[in-house]
């Protein structure tokens, strides 16, 4: 740590000119997440910085799956973190997303009044987000507290679609042979 900012194992890459780098929001198993601000519009966002993996690896498959799912299937639902841009650099892949200003759901609940109405609303939003994914033919397959964020509008946002899979309607019936 250096002044509260986690050190990366690789240097922070240059961002596309339109975005200005802010503070570190966290480090995960695949990369780091940083606050960014659009220079022209002042729109706030988050950029997931992933070291660019070798071709034909499991990590590259997960990254590709996450990007493709968010681009094609997850647009327009307020309960799914929205993708803004993707940039492939020489050493990194940058995924620019909307900023979930409330942070992780469990952290948000720990620092706020956890009244029943709020928790019920969050649960309903989670169910609606999952329902939307399923209506788009997507099974998330990695729902856990770390993948549930809170937006500036106090909505639950599902994130991290790296383990998601495309499914067909009624594929959850026993014996269909679909690996969810």
């Amino acid at each position: 740590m250096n002044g509260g900012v986690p050190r990366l194992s690789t240097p922070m890459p240059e961002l596309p000119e339109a975005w200005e780098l802010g503070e570190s929001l966290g480090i995960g198993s695949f990369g780091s997440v940083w606050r960014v601000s659009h220079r022209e519009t002042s729109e706030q966002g988050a950029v997931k910085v992933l070291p660019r993996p070798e071709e034909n690896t499991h990590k590259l498959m997960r990254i590709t799956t996450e990007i493709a799912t968010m681009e094609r299937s997850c647009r327009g639902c307020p309960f799914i973190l929205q993708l803004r841009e993707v940039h492939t650099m020489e050493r990194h892949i940058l995924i620019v997303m909307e900023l979930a200003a409330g942070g992780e759901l469990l952290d948000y609940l720990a620092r706020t009044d956890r009244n029943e109405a709020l928790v019920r609303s969050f649960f309903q939003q989670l169910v609606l987000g999952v329902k939307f994914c399923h209506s788009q033919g997507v099974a998330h397959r990695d729902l856990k507290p770390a993948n549930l964020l809170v937006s500036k509008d106090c909505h639950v946002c599902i994130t991290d679609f790296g383990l998601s899979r495309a499914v067909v309607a009624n594929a959850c019936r026993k014996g269909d042979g679909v690996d969810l």
Side-chain angles (χ1 to χ4, degrees):
M1 296 282 246
N2 180 14
V5 177
R7 288 204 177 273
L8 295 174
S9 57
T10 57
M12 181 63 202
E14 290 291 318
L15 287 175
E17 237 178 74
W19 295 96
E20 184 176 338
L21 184 65
E23 79 267 16
S24 171
L25 298 174
I27 295 180
S29 58
F30 276 80
S32 58
V33 180
W34 298 77
R35 181 184 299 264
V36 291
S37 178
H38 196 275
R39 292 181 195 278
E40 289 182 18
T41 66
S42 299
E43 174 190 12
Q44 296 292 298
V47 62
K48 186 187 279 192
V49 180
L50 305 166
R52 190 169 175 178
E54 297 293 322
E55 295 295 322
N56 301 318
T57 62
H58 177 71
K59 281 186 180 184
L60 183 60
M61 277 182 25
R62 277 190 69 171
I63 294 168
T64 303
T65 296
E66 179 171 14
I67 293 167
T69 300
M70 291 181 78
E71 281 180 337
R72 285 186 238 141
S73 305
C74 297
R75 294 230 184 247
C77 180
F79 312 121
I80 297 174
L81 198 68
Q82 297 297 298
L83 178 69
R84 298 285 188 250
E85 304 173 7
V86 177
H87 300 275
T88 303
M89 314 298 258
E90 184 179 334
R91 295 180 50 181
H92 294 89
I93 297 173
L94 308 176
I95 303 173
V96 182
M97 301 168 283
E98 73 176 299
L99 178 66
E104 288 187 14
L105 177 61
L106 287 182
D107 293 339
Y108 181 87
L109 290 172
R111 66 179 183 268
T112 61
D113 178 25
R114 290 169 283 185
N115 65 62
E116 184 179 338
L118 176 66
V119 174
R120 185 181 315 116
S121 174
F122 282 158
F123 182 73
Q124 290 168 340
Q125 293 170 30
L126 173 60
V127 170
L128 290 171
V130 170
K131 181 180 178 182
F132 182 84
C133 289
H134 291 177
S135 75
Q136 301 299 303
V138 173
H140 187 280
R141 298 181 359 135
D142 194 24
L143 284 176
K144 60 186 179 186
N147 291 339
L148 302 174
L149 306 176
V150 179
S151 74
K152 69 178 181 349
D153 300 324
C154 206
H155 290 181
V156 167
C157 291
I158 300 169
T159 189
D160 196 349
F161 284 82
L163 293 178
S164 66
R165 291 291 180 265
V167 294
V168 293
N170 300 318
C172 295
R173 292 189 315 239
K174 187 175 180 176
D176 282 350
V178 175
D179 179 21
L180 292 178

